[in-house]
Amino acid sequence: MGREAVSAPPNALVTGASAGLGRAFAERLAADGFAVTGIDRDAPGADPPFDHVRCDLADPGAVDALVGELAARGPFNWVVLNAGISATGPFEMIPPGAHARLLAINTEAPIVLTAGLAAAGALAPGARLVFVSSLSHFTGYPGAASYGASKDALAVYAKSIRAPFKKAYGVSVSVACPGPLRTDHAARHAPEGADAEKRMPPYEAARRILAGAQRGKAMITPGAGATVFAFIGGLAPGPVTSVMKRIIYDKLDRSVF
Amino acid sequence: MAAARRRIVITGGTSGIGLALVRRLAGRHDILVAGRRDDADALPVLPEGVRYVHAPLTDPEAATRAIAEALLKAGWVKLDNLILNAGTGFAVEGGTETAAQVRDTLAVNLTASVLLARALFPWLDKAAGTLTLVGSVAHTGQGLFPAYAASKAGLHGLARALRAEWAGRVAVQIVHPGPTRTEMHQKAGHDPGRLRTIFIPADSMAVMLEGAIAARRSPVTLSFGRYWTGGAAWGGKL
């Protein structure tokens, strides 16, 4: 629709676009004809299908500057707030700076970006706004307590702004809770011996999440496994957290942050 | 038999639910209050014998250092209860907060709680103590103050994970108070209007909170359901 029109292609924004799930989002949106701006601290490698803007989302000053720069590039028809880091290990053994950095990147930056873009009028009417949370939102995450907290916060932020953003900006807000993915990020934090083949390829997750957001779904759990886990976790968060402790926390062979 | 004297740290203990709880517990227990007011403002409102440390949680790292130093200065080597009660939030139109509002809310409610829980774990561990995170019924989502709701959801998730991680060592709980008659709504820029008259009085909330802390269960919701069925009359004692 209008793909051959002379007007400039519509804009999309993806944070954490250089690798993993973010890269998959960016490639998918670029293939669908969007002009994608990809935010990442790291360089994207050869021939990225997006315009890379470097930013360390843990740095509040850099995030404030980024809001200004993005407002000038907008308005955006898709915004995918995907950037995230983890910190795995016994909670008290992880340095305070690592916990603070994680909360800044996973929770503070996407909220400041969202509110800033909205206030600047940089969200196009009818735009899709997607927050990438985690399947851990439906249970507890022993061994990644601050990560779990950061993703719970993000999911509930998305839920909170869904009605007001629809009313004030005509924007559809979704939250995605993917389970383990076949990415370098997951490999770095998973216990030794965990089977990467069981994890969903990031391109598959990105496709399902974008399709769900396009349909205006509030909560997207990509794949049947994630949907079942979310259902059981919602029914019995306590027992599921105990299982998570046995399969993750008790098997941690190292701390990674 | 009188209950043993406990050593208790309470953040945000100079107003609202925190102050009501401090007033209940003072005399029976040793209490260190942390707050954002300076000493001259804070000391007159606190009961006699309560220790105070000026530690604004808008700077979580500095506040954590100040509170840990205050514990050392007091000569406390273990801690029976850490009650992370301090909270802030801003009511906004259209769900759109400013960057400063988002950052203050997340720093005070979430990041400071993470850093304090981590830093004071060795004290709690020695006493087989209890970490209490004060959440909110808004933790499931609230369009009027989205970052506040998000921060309280973060605390809910933190409590779930830490309760499992520290099982058998330190009890971790999340307690979600319902609407309470404090200055918080006014500070947040929100006028609940005549609805405020049905809000739960801070003293009654403190009774229910003390009972929840003594019971060490999690998660606990302290709202109208419990209040209207006499929750403030039969709360257990710490």
Side-chain angles (χ1 to χ4, degrees):
Chain A
M1 189 190 75
R3 196 75 59 83
E4 308 90 74
V6 279
S7 59
N11 293 307
L13 173 68
V14 178
T15 68
S18 285
L21 181 59
R23 176 85 187 207
F25 282 126
E27 292 190 356
R28 183 98 207 165
L29 288 164
D32 285 346
F34 290 92
V36 181
T37 299
I39 311 298
D40 210 296
R41 184 185 51 157
D42 301 322
D47 299 323
F50 55 88
D51 191 8
H52 177 230
V53 174
R54 202 193 164 282
C55 183
D56 180 359
L57 296 173
D59 175 354
V63 172
D64 289 339
L66 182 65
V67 171
E69 185 178 342
L70 293 175
R73 286 178 177 234
F76 293 95
N77 292 77
W78 276 91
V79 174
V80 185
L81 296 150
N82 157 82
I85 61 168
S86 193
T88 39
F91 175 78
E92 68 278 12
M93 306 294 279
I94 295 169
H99 285 305
R101 185 177 164 75
L102 181 154
L103 293 170
I105 293 172
N106 292 15
T107 308
E108 181 184 310
I111 295 178
V112 169
L113 280 175
T114 299
L117 291 176
L123 301 175
R128 297 289 189 266
L129 185 53
V130 185
F131 293 87
V132 178
S133 178
S134 163
L135 197 52
S136 69
H137 178 52
F138 294 96
T139 169
Y141 200 166
S146 56
Y147 174 84
S150 76
K151 293 298 189 179
D152 287 327
L154 196 60
V156 167
Y157 178 74
K159 204 173 151 188
S160 298
I161 65 168
R162 185 169 158 88
F165 267 46
K166 180 65 104 187
K167 190 158 169 251
Y169 309 107
V171 168
S172 171
V173 178
S174 301
V175 57
C177 291
L181 300 178
R182 212 177 295 164
T183 59
D184 293 344
H185 169 99
R188 247 191 334 273
H189 292 282
E192 200 172 351
D195 185 0
E197 287 303 308
K198 284 190 194 150
R199 302 185 202 132
M200 181 181 276
Y203 295 93
E204 172 76 7
R207 184 184 64 76
R208 288 172 184 268
I209 290 166
L210 293 178
Q214 180 65 49
R215 289 202 307 276
K217 280 186 80 173
M219 165 63 69
I220 303 159
T221 48
T227 304
V228 170
F229 185 94
F231 178 66
I232 307 282
L235 289 178
V240 175
T241 302
S242 302
V243 173
M244 291 278 282
K245 188 187 180 198
R246 278 203 301 281
I247 62 175
I248 298 172
Y249 187 74
D250 294 345
K251 284 191 185 159
L252 282 176
D253 50 350
R254 64 200 188 283
S255 293
V256 185
F257 38 80
Chain B
M1 192 183 82
R5 231 178 145 76
R6 306 175 74 87
R7 287 186 164 165
I8 302 172
V9 168
I10 305 179
T11 64
T14 59
S15 63
I17 299 170
L19 179 59
L21 186 64
V22 168
R23 287 185 174 142
R24 276 189 67 76
L25 299 176
R28 283 189 278 144
H29 300 291
D30 296 318
I31 297 173
L32 171 68
V33 167
R36 72 161 74 195
R37 304 190 193 190
D38 60 27
D39 291 14
D41 276 352
L43 291 171
V45 305
L46 293 173
E48 206 167 320
V50 169
R51 290 176 168 84
Y52 181 72
V53 55
H54 176 228
L57 301 182
T58 41
D59 184 343
E61 281 96 352
T64 301
R65 270 197 305 279
I67 293 169
E69 278 163 18
L71 282 176
L72 295 173
K73 208 171 113 192
W76 293 10
V77 295
K78 52 186 187 177
L79 193 58
D80 297 288
N81 292 87
L82 173 58
I83 303 168
L84 298 178
N85 157 80
T88 190
F90 302 90
V92 291
E93 289 293 316
T96 313
E97 292 139 316
T98 66
Q101 288 172 333
V102 171
R103 289 188 176 120
D104 274 2
T105 303
L106 294 177
V108 171
N109 300 3
L110 185 56
T111 309
S113 298
V114 165
L115 298 190
L116 282 168
R118 186 197 162 281
L120 302 192
F121 172 73
W123 275 270
L124 288 167
D125 196 22
K126 275 189 207 131
T130 302
L131 166 63
T132 303
L133 302 172
V134 178
S136 161
V137 288
H139 78 98
T140 55
Q142 173 51 254
L144 192 60
F145 25 83
Y148 176 83
S151 71
K152 297 300 190 179
L155 291 182
H156 188 92
L158 182 70
R160 281 196 299 206
L162 287 186
R163 190 170 172 88
E165 284 197 27
W166 292 350
R169 299 178 72 180
V170 171
V172 180
Q173 60 174 181
I174 178 89
V175 179
H176 296 298
T180 306
R181 224 176 291 159
T182 67
E183 301 310 307
M184 183 157 197
H185 302 87
Q186 191 195 335
K187 284 190 212 163
H190 171 58
D191 178 11
R194 293 182 61 183
L195 211 51
R196 193 174 189 277
T197 55
I198 69 156
F199 283 12
I200 300 165
D203 289 339
S204 302
M205 183 55 73
V207 175
M208 297 199 288
L209 183 55
E210 182 184 353
I213 294 168
R216 302 178 116 199
R217 276 195 290 273
S218 183
V220 182
T221 298
L222 303 178
S223 195
F224 297 121
R226 188 172 292 217
Y227 178 59
W228 287 334
T229 53
W234 46 257
K237 283 207 164 183
L238 196 58

